[in-house]
């Protein structure tokens, strides 16, 4: 087993870390006060080649791996999870298209957005007010009318929607089939696409989310991705992969919490010595470091599975749930280690705590990750032979 990154991956990892050090970390606190899209930093990230990594070469992208994406997500997440979300959101928005669209469709709709001078954005529009964890409840409809589809409905929480040029929209083409009747469309910003209320949030303020209204929006029939009815399958395949990206942002937060808390524990003296010399603090740091490392390993393993075409659903759910719980726990512990200073806005760890919380919620809450993982474990166990042969049928399990 080789834990080393390839030369190309190592170069990307170093580039993303240097970018974070120069452009993200020093500005994260100041910019989050503005509570708006950090356009200038994202443009620089685009110019530094840190965006749109998964778009295939035939459609103008670098065609890099999911592992490469997780490296950039972790590095940028270390500096600011909100900015990482802004920078990496195209991965989510375009992933359904990379999975389900033809190269010609990608060349027409995505290539112009990723090859110009200015960074352009996509928005992933799945969630609705009445349909969050269960997309089958969505009410957005797409109806075929000659050579066009007419899309009507309202989405919410769509990251980067206020700055987006292309919307990846999940809509029902056969409502009576529920999730099997969902389809996915590429919708350029056109007549009838309206941006609604921009959400104000607890954390990740360096990213923007809004409602999006589709009012009888007409798109050519070639905006359908895959076939009618493929939407749910494409959404699940997308999230199986992109969850590793959220796990990576969370890993960045978890590691930053360790580093800031350790730095403080070395220099803060109480009772005549650095607080890091107290076992109560150093054991906390040890547990925090363990969580960050375990989160990284689970995340990179999930990405590696996806890159090698292996089933990834269970492992990306493990990674997302574990890494985001690790981020939340580590951020909380970092605040504790820094005492009163941890609670102040001028130090970075209270922001880590607010930012970490979102990683447990978006792209499927951690309850949903556990649901996915639990189902997979139960399914695998049906044919599992542990070597301990006891017949369970027809009677209570014996005490073993
Ligand atoms: C800042 C932010 C950015 C986002 N970005 C996007 C985006 O770009 N695109 C997009 O489409 N969506 C986006 N979302 C939406 C996000 O993915 C949803 O909020 C999330 O999936 C949960 O849906 P919900 O909020 O409707 O909660 P609900 O589904 O209503 O869940 C409420 C609670 O019930 C629990 N729950 C639900 N079902 C079960 C179950 N079966 N078992 C156990 N517990 C359950 C949930 O875990 C949660 O705790 C974003 C959200 C936020 C806050």
């Amino acid at each position: 087993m080789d834990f080393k990154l390839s030369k190309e991956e190592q170069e990307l990892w170093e580039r993303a870390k240097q970018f974070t050090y120069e452009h993200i970390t020093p500005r994260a606190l100041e910019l989050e006060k503005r509570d708006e899209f950090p356009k200038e930093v994202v443009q620089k990230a685009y110019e530094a080649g840190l965006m749109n990594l998964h778009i295939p070469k035939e459609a103008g992208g670098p065609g890099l791996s999911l592992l490469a994406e997780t490296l950039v997500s972790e590095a940028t997440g270390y500096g600011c999870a909100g900015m990482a979300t802004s920078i990496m959101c195209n991965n989510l928005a375009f992933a359904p298209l990379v999975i389900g669209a033809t190269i010609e469709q990608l060349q027409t709709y995505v290539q112009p957005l990723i090859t110009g001078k200015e960074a352009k954005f996509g928005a992933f529009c799945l969630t609705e007010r009445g349909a969050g964890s269960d997309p089958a409840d969505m009410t957005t409809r797409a109806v075929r009318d000659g050579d066009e589809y007419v899309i009507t409905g309202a989405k919410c929480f769509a990251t980067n929607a206020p700055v987006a040029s292309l919307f990846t929209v999940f809509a029902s083409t056969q409502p009576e089939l529920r999730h099997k009747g969902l389809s996915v469309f590429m919708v350029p910003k056109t007549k009838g696409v309206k941006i609604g209320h921009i959400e104000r949030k607890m954390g990740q303020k360096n990213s923007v989310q809004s409602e999006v209204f589709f009012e009888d929006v007409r798109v050519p029939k070639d905006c359908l991705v895959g076939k009618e009815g493929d939407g749910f399958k494409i959404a699940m395949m997308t999230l199986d992969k992109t969850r590793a990206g959220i796990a990576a942002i969370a890993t960045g937060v978890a590691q930053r919490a360790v580093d800031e808390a350790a730095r403080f524990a070395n220099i803060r003296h109480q009772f005549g010595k650095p607080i890091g010399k107290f076992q109560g603090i150093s054991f906390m740091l040890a547990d925090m470091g363990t969580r960050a490392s375990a989160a990284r390993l689970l995340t990179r393993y999930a990405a590696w599975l996806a890159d090698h075409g292996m089933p990834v659903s269970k492992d990306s759910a493990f990674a997302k749930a574990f890494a985001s719980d690790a981020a939340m726990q580590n951020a909380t512990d970092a605040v504790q280690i820094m005492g009163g200073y941890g609670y102040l806005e001028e130090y970075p760890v209270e922001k880590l705590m607010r930012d970490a919380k979102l990683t447990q919620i978006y792209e499927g809450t951690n309850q949903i990750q556990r649901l996915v993982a639990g189902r997979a474990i139960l399914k695998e166990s049906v044919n599992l032979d542990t070597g301990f042969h006891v017949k369970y049928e027809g009677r209570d399990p014996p005490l073993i």
Side-chain angles (χ1 to χ4, degrees):
M1 190 184 297
D2 188 353
F3 285 99
K4 267 208 314 287
L5 298 172
S6 71
K7 201 166 156 243
E8 193 183 33
E9 288 157 352
Q10 187 65 37
E11 186 280 320
L12 182 66
W13 175 229
E14 297 300 337
R15 181 152 39 104
K17 284 197 295 185
Q18 188 59 29
F19 181 87
T20 300
Y21 183 79
E22 282 174 25
H23 300 289
I24 297 185
T25 313
R27 302 203 60 197
L29 288 179
E30 163 221 335
L31 288 181
E32 87 149 1
K33 301 264 182 305
R34 296 190 199 163
D35 208 350
E36 63 186 28
F37 183 70
K39 193 169 173 220
E40 198 193 314
V41 177
V42 178
Q43 175 65 29
K44 285 197 176 111
Y46 176 70
E47 288 164 12
L50 300 178
M51 282 175 60
N52 305 314
L53 302 177
H54 65 318
I55 307 295
K57 287 188 174 147
E58 301 91 307
L64 295 184
S65 61
L66 183 60
L67 179 61
E69 280 182 19
T70 64
L71 298 175
V72 177
S73 295
E74 183 187 333
T76 51
Y78 182 93
C80 173
M83 286 200 213
T85 295
S86 294
I87 292 167
M88 303 311 282
C89 179
N90 277 3
N91 296 350
L92 172 64
F94 298 149
L97 318 183
V98 172
I99 289 169
T102 61
I103 285 295
E104 291 72 32
Q105 282 176 308
L106 289 177
Q107 285 167 343
T108 307
Y109 290 96
V110 178
Q111 187 157 358
L113 305 184
I114 63 159
T115 47
K117 274 195 155 162
E118 296 258 309
K120 301 267 183 214
F121 305 97
F124 178 86
C125 299
L126 178 67
T127 308
E128 299 182 2
R129 291 274 174 231
S133 300
D134 184 7
D137 281 338
M138 76 172 54
T139 56
T140 298
R141 299 280 176 264
V143 179
R144 179 81 183 257
D145 182 21
D147 281 346
E148 294 178 323
Y149 280 94
V150 183
I151 300 176
T152 316
K155 299 288 178 177
C156 61
F157 289 128
T159 300
N160 282 1
V163 291
S165 311
L166 186 70
F167 299 81
T168 301
V169 183
F170 292 82
S172 185
T173 38
Q174 267 192 289
E176 66 286 2
L177 295 183
R178 292 187 49 79
H179 70 278
K180 288 192 176 154
L182 300 184
S183 303
V184 56
F185 298 87
M186 299 173 286
V187 180
K189 183 121 192 242
T190 182
K191 195 167 157 248
V193 178
K194 298 201 173 130
I195 301 302
H197 175 71
I198 295 181
E199 306 297 349
R200 304 211 52 201
K201 311 185 297 292
M202 171 197 287
Q204 298 214 13
K205 289 169 185 277
N206 282 319
S207 72
V208 286
Q209 286 75 24
S210 75
E211 296 173 310
V212 192
F213 300 105
F214 299 91
E215 295 174 355
D216 293 330
V217 175
R218 288 187 168 267
V219 291
K221 67 176 192 308
D222 82 332
C223 286
L224 173 69
V225 177
K227 298 191 300 297
E228 278 191 25
D230 282 351
F232 186 76
K233 188 178 76 186
I234 292 175
M236 293 306 112
M237 287 168 75
T238 297
L239 294 171
D240 279 351
K241 290 189 165 190
T242 56
R243 275 166 187 156
I246 302 300
I249 293 177
T251 302
V253 174
Q255 186 63 54
R256 179 78 183 280
V258 181
D259 295 350
E260 294 294 348
R263 224 158 58 99
F264 185 88
N266 269 326
I267 54 175
R268 175 69 174 171
H269 284 67
Q270 288 294 289
F271 300 98
K273 49 179 151 172
I275 59 166
K277 296 269 184 215
F278 299 120
Q279 201 177 56
I281 299 290
S282 72
F283 277 17
M284 278 173 86
L285 287 167
D287 288 344
M288 290 162 72
T290 308
R291 279 192 287 269
S293 285
R296 182 172 303 109
L297 287 173
L298 280 173
T299 300
R300 292 187 182 179
Y301 179 58
W304 182 88
L305 286 174
D307 289 337
H308 287 80
M310 292 190 232
V312 67
S313 200
K314 180 186 74 178
D315 292 274
S316 65
F318 284 169
K320 201 267 185 187
F322 185 87
S324 57
D325 287 350
M328 195 66 226
Q329 185 65 55
N330 281 10
T332 310
D333 288 353
V335 170
Q336 192 66 27
I337 288 174
M338 290 179 64
Y341 302 94
Y343 202 67
L344 299 186
E345 278 184 12
E346 65 198 91
Y347 294 90
V349 294
E350 67 85 31
K351 176 178 180 300
L352 291 184
M353 197 167 161
R354 289 184 285 107
D355 288 355
K357 187 63 214 169
L358 181 59
T359 63
Q360 295 177 307
I361 295 172
Y362 64 174
E363 288 196 38
T365 65
N366 279 4
Q367 283 91 340
I368 296 303
Q369 305 309 317
R370 289 180 167 90
L371 198 123
V372 170
R375 273 187 195 147
I377 290 167
L378 286 167
K379 197 168 160 204
E380 284 166 7
S381 80
V382 169
N383 295 317
L384 184 67
D385 184 352
T386 62
F388 182 74
H389 299 128
V390 173
K391 283 194 173 22
Y392 288 129
E393 303 95 41
R395 58 193 170 100
D396 291 336
L399 290 172
I400 52 175

